[in-house]
């Protein structure tokens, strides 16, 4: 490099007989560095598989500035499709809430402590997100609150209740009663005053669409004269159940 600085002409380098060997040595060193870097990044991706969703440059930035809130906000949406950003606790040392693109806010049951080992606390955030949604689903199923719970859980809770009601109606041959119940519920959802809050509007739209689908399912069951839970017309539906081991099971 000193020689290049002293004489910028390319022809000057041609006189250096040792230059090819020097360049090969530098190239070998660069290849070893690149290999070591790739192995390091693969190790981090193995610890937190969501890192496979982002490129090497983004991952290096995250690893290098794991405790910087602005960096965390920039890349979280790439790692978690449902999280647009998060809210931090006092001193920006913990993550306390998750926020969606639509503005829904979900407080974490247990705040996640931010540390230098980013892959560790991201795993904790991943687990915390699941545990929070699990707990909220149980609560939402017991008592529906359109303001408190996010749209995803409101819809899932309603679908779980629909599965229970539909199977009871099939067993007791009361599909007509179930359809009347669902129609009354749809009237209640659509006859109220329009919500001014954007998030609440989105929640009601999602619930109404699912409810219309459920009414259509009941009409299909009636049309096919479904009398048993094992009948194909019911078995082909996507059904949601509460489970002792899991908050929700799909069948």
């Amino acid at each position: 490099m000193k020689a290049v600085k002293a004489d910028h002409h390319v022809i000057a380098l041609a006189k250096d007989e040792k230059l090819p060997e020097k360049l090969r040595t530098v190239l070998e060193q660069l290849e070893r560095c690149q290999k070591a870097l790739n192995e390091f990044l693969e190790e981090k991706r193995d610890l937190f598989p969501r890192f496979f969703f982002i490129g090497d440059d983004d991952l290096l930035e995250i690893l290098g500035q794991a405790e910087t809130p602005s960096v965390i906000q920039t890349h979280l949406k790439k790692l978690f499709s449902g999280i647009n950003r998060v809210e931090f606790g006092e001193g920006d040392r913990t993550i306390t809430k998750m926020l969606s693109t639509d503005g829904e806010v979900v407080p974490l049951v247990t705040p996640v402590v931010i540390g230098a080992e980013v892959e560790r606390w991201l795993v904790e955030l991943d687990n915390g997100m699941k545990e929070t949604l699990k707990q909220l689903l149980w609560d939402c199923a017991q008592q529906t609150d359109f303001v408190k719970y996010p749209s995803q859980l409101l819809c899932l809770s309603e679908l779980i209740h629909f599965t229970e009601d539909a199977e009871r109606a099939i067993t007791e041959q009361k599909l007509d009663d179930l359809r009347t119940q669902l129609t009354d519920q749809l009237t209640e959802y659509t006859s109220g005053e329009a919500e001014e809050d954007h998030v609440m509007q989105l929640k009601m739209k999602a619930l109404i669409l699912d409810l219309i689908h459920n009414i259509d399912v009941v009409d299909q069951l009636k049309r096919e004269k479904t009398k048993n839970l094992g009948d194909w017309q019911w078995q082909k539906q996507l059904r949601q159940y509460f489970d002792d081991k899991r908050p929700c099971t799909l069948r």
Side-chain angles (χ1 to χ4, degrees), residues 3 29 36 45-46 70 126 191 199 204 242:
Q29 292 174 344
R45 287 186 168 111
D46 288 339
S70 60
D126 191 17
S191 62
V199 173
M204 296 309 300
F242 274 127

Side-chain angles (χ1 to χ4, degrees), residues 32-185:
R32 284 198 296 270
C33 289
Q34 185 63 49
K35 181 180 178 182
L37 176 60
N38 290 338
E39 292 174 350
F40 172 74
L41 295 180
E42 286 301 309
E43 179 183 343
K44 296 299 182 182
R45 287 186 168 111
D46 288 339
L47 292 172
F48 186 64
R50 287 177 184 264
F51 280 152
F52 284 104
F53 298 160
I54 60 177
D56 291 349
D57 292 341
D58 288 340
L59 180 52
L60 286 171
E61 184 177 11
I62 293 174
L63 296 173
Q65 303 183 62
E67 299 179 76
T68 305
S70 60
V71 174
I72 295 173
Q73 293 284 23
T74 301
H75 295 290
L76 268 182
K77 66 185 69 177
K78 303 174 186 176
L79 299 172
F80 299 92
S81 59
I83 299 179
N84 183 55
R85 63 186 184 89
V86 295
E87 284 190 8
F88 298 94
E90 186 176 352
D92 292 340
R93 302 307 305 164
T94 59
I95 294 176
T96 59
K97 298 178 181 179
M98 306 176 291
L99 290 84
S100 72
T101 304
D102 295 322
E104 291 183 302
V105 181
V106 180
L108 291 169
V109 172
T110 303
V112 175
V113 179
I114 300 173
E117 295 184 350
V118 62
E119 67 279 6
R120 303 293 182 186
W121 64 257
L122 280 174
V123 169
E124 292 180 8
L125 177 59
D126 191 17
N127 294 334
M129 172 183 65
K130 296 174 183 176
E131 188 60 33
T132 295
L133 294 178
K134 175 182 177 181
Q135 182 60 53
L136 290 177
L137 177 58
W138 282 113
D139 296 342
C140 182
Q142 303 303 317
Q143 184 176 10
T144 301
D145 186 328
F146 295 144
V147 176
K148 180 178 180 180
Y149 300 109
S151 175
Q152 178 188 36
L153 298 185
L154 288 170
C155 291
L156 182 54
S157 176
E158 287 295 316
L159 290 172
I160 291 172
H161 287 309
F162 170 72
T163 299
E164 294 175 350
D165 294 340
E167 294 198 341
R168 187 183 307 111
I170 292 172
T171 303
E172 299 175 0
Q173 290 297 288
K174 294 183 177 180
L175 288 173
D176 287 331
D177 293 344
L178 177 58
R179 193 189 192 288
T180 300
Q181 174 188 327
L182 295 175
T183 303
D184 291 343
Q185 188 177 1

